[in-house]
Amino acid sequence: MSNQLTEREVLQQLNIPDFRHITKDKIMTFASMLQNMEPEVAKKALEQFPEFAKMALEVLKDYRSVMEKTLDGNSASSKQCYDIYNEVIDALKTCLAKGDLPFEEKKYYIEKMMEIAKMAESKDTENKGFNWRMISLGTLAVFTVVGIGASILGGNTNIKLPKPKL
């Protein structure tokens, strides 16, 4: 018995009566299932759904828009956080600028400034990690759609990446 999905199983998983009823919100699910379908089922599905490539492109555009909004929101949030850090640093600098401060008080202000610098560094690292995760998700989505589309159309999906130099 084959482990590949039959037409009935695919239609059940997509909750549609036939492939002509596939919607934009189900296109990524459909695309991810193609590699697990019996070849005849995949061919039949694509024959009934000639707008696959166009709809997949629209889904990727929508996904790009969501990613851009998320990154913009993250950038605005980070900027607000850095602005607060800068205000605290400025206040500490003002306190530190008083000429008649004892050594212990100067040391206290400098230590607080160092704490803020460490918090900013941590925020920057967190922000870079978030951005890389978003880029990775976007890249995975593009490669999934392109790879599946190429494999269905008979293209070469054997992608060779360069080996890192040691």
Side-chain angles (χ1 to χ4, degrees):
M1 185 160 178
S2 173
N3 288 336
Q4 294 186 318
L5 298 170
T6 65
E7 179 179 357
R8 186 179 51 93
E9 291 170 331
V10 173
L11 293 173
Q12 277 183 326
Q13 287 185 26
L14 293 173
N15 196 26
I16 55 175
D18 60 52
F19 291 113
R20 287 179 292 236
H21 288 88
I22 198 160
T23 58
K24 191 174 170 182
D25 62 321
K26 294 182 181 183
I27 192 70
M28 291 302 282
T29 304
F30 172 75
S32 66
M33 294 169 66
L34 280 170
Q35 63 188 356
N36 299 322
M37 289 182 204
E38 294 175 352
E40 315 81 53
V41 174
K43 185 177 178 186
K44 181 179 178 184
L46 290 174
E47 286 172 356
Q48 292 181 40
F49 186 51
E51 298 293 314
F52 171 74
K54 182 180 176 187
M55 194 175 282
L57 186 58
E58 287 178 26
V59 168
L60 287 176
K61 285 179 183 177
D62 290 348
Y63 186 71
R64 176 183 171 198
S65 175
V66 168
M67 285 182 59
E68 286 174 349
K69 287 177 185 173
T70 302
L71 289 171
D72 288 347
N74 182 52
S75 180
S77 172
S78 293
K79 184 186 178 325
Q80 186 178 26
C81 187
Y82 292 130
D83 288 347
I84 291 169
Y85 291 157
N86 286 333
E87 286 180 27
V88 173
I89 293 283
D90 288 344
L92 290 169
K93 282 182 182 178
T94 301
C95 292
L96 190 59
K98 296 177 184 174
D100 57 346
L101 292 177
F103 173 77
E104 287 301 316
E105 196 170 338
K106 287 181 181 182
K107 181 180 170 189
Y108 171 81
Y109 291 132
I110 291 170
E111 286 172 354
K112 291 299 174 187
M113 290 169 73
M114 292 300 293
E115 284 179 31
I116 299 295
K118 286 179 184 176
M119 291 168 65
E121 179 184 17
S122 176
K123 181 67 176 173
D124 183 56
T125 301
E126 173 189 317
N127 192 35
K128 286 176 182 171
F130 173 81
N131 289 341
W132 276 111
R133 284 189 300 278
M134 291 298 294
I135 290 168
S136 297
L137 287 173
T139 303
L140 179 62
V142 169
F143 275 125
T144 299
V145 171
V146 170
I148 290 171
S151 66
I152 290 166
L153 299 174
N156 182 2
T157 58
N158 187 11
I159 300 170
K160 293 183 181 177
L161 299 175
K163 293 182 181 178
K165 295 180 182 177
L166 300 176

